[in-house]
Amino acid sequence: MYIETERLILRRWSKNDVKPFAEINSHPDVMVLLGRGTMSVQEARENIRKFENHFDEYGFGFWAVEKKNDGSLIGLCGLRKVLWADHPLTPCIEIAWRQARESWGHGYMTEAAIASLGDGFQRAKINKIFSWTARVNMRSQQLMRRAGMHRAAELDFEHPQLPPEHPLSKHLVYVISAPPFAVDSAKK
């Protein structure tokens, strides 16, 4: 199972992705707005195991994103079911992404996000998808808008795992609903 776009392949994860995924997550610029430090190889392996388990359980998840021209892993993008007891939007479906620092600024994650949203609406028959980011993360907010998402200010929240005074605590929420054609085909 995979998705192909003009420049990318969104595919399931493999054991060969552990080291490159750890390298992506070892760059401080990539991790700074996630409110955590860099990721070890063991943490990358555990994350990939969780990504694959989510796919197996729900039929959708975070894809490994690779460039078609050279097969290099440049990040992750996709959907996950959020069922955390302390999250203010539980239960919901979230779209999220993470990208290698050297791949920033080329529109890859917008391309991957649009493809992931389309797959979520058409194949997985999801009706509404949310995304959120720290108020200071302007890059992700721009990506959300480019992918067709709209602000849902009434759903903004303080991150439950960060103290209120933390610079990443205030989170802005974006949402997108399935286009009518996706909902109509889901009913057939």
Side-chain angles (χ1 to χ4, degrees), residues 25 28 31-40 43 47 98 168:
N25 292 288
M31 302 305 284
V32 69
L33 293 174
L34 298 178
R36 61 159 288 160
T38 58
M39 186 181 291
S40 70
E43 288 173 305
N47 273 261
R98 193 172 313 153
L168 300 178

Side-chain angles (χ1 to χ4, degrees), residues 1-3 10-12 55 59-60 63 119 123:
M1 181 166 51
Y2 69 94
I3 301 171
L10 283 65
R11 58 168 175 76
R12 298 282 300 261
F55 260 109
F60 60 87
W63 302 99
D119 181 64
R123 186 186 58 78

Side-chain angles (χ1 to χ4, degrees), residues 117 121 127-130 147-150 174-178:
L117 289 167
F121 292 139
N127 288 321
K128 189 178 283 189
I129 299 171
F130 296 83
M149 302 188 84
H150 304 282
Y174 285 72
V175 64
I176 188 169
S177 295

Side-chain angles (χ1 to χ4, degrees), residues 128-139:
K128 189 178 283 189
I129 299 171
F130 296 83
S131 192
W132 50 84
T133 191
R135 179 177 50 201
V136 297
N137 189 347
M138 301 308 294
R139 295 178 68 85

Side-chain angles (χ1 to χ4, degrees), residues 122-182:
Q122 294 171 2
R123 186 186 58 78
K125 307 301 184 205
I126 297 166
N127 288 321
K128 189 178 283 189
I129 299 171
F130 296 83
S131 192
W132 50 84
T133 191
R135 179 177 50 201
V136 297
N137 189 347
M138 301 308 294
R139 295 178 68 85
S140 279
Q141 291 175 55
Q142 291 168 351
L143 192 157
M144 292 171 195
R145 289 190 295 272
R146 286 192 303 268
M149 302 188 84
H150 304 282
R151 276 279 283 123
E154 70 280 6
L155 299 175
D156 291 352
F157 61 90
E158 300 285 333
H159 198 288
Q161 296 172 351
L162 295 172
E165 66 278 0
H166 192 284
L168 300 178
S169 178
K170 176 74 172 164
H171 273 58
L172 307 183
V173 177
Y174 285 72
V175 64
I176 188 169
S177 295
F181 69 86

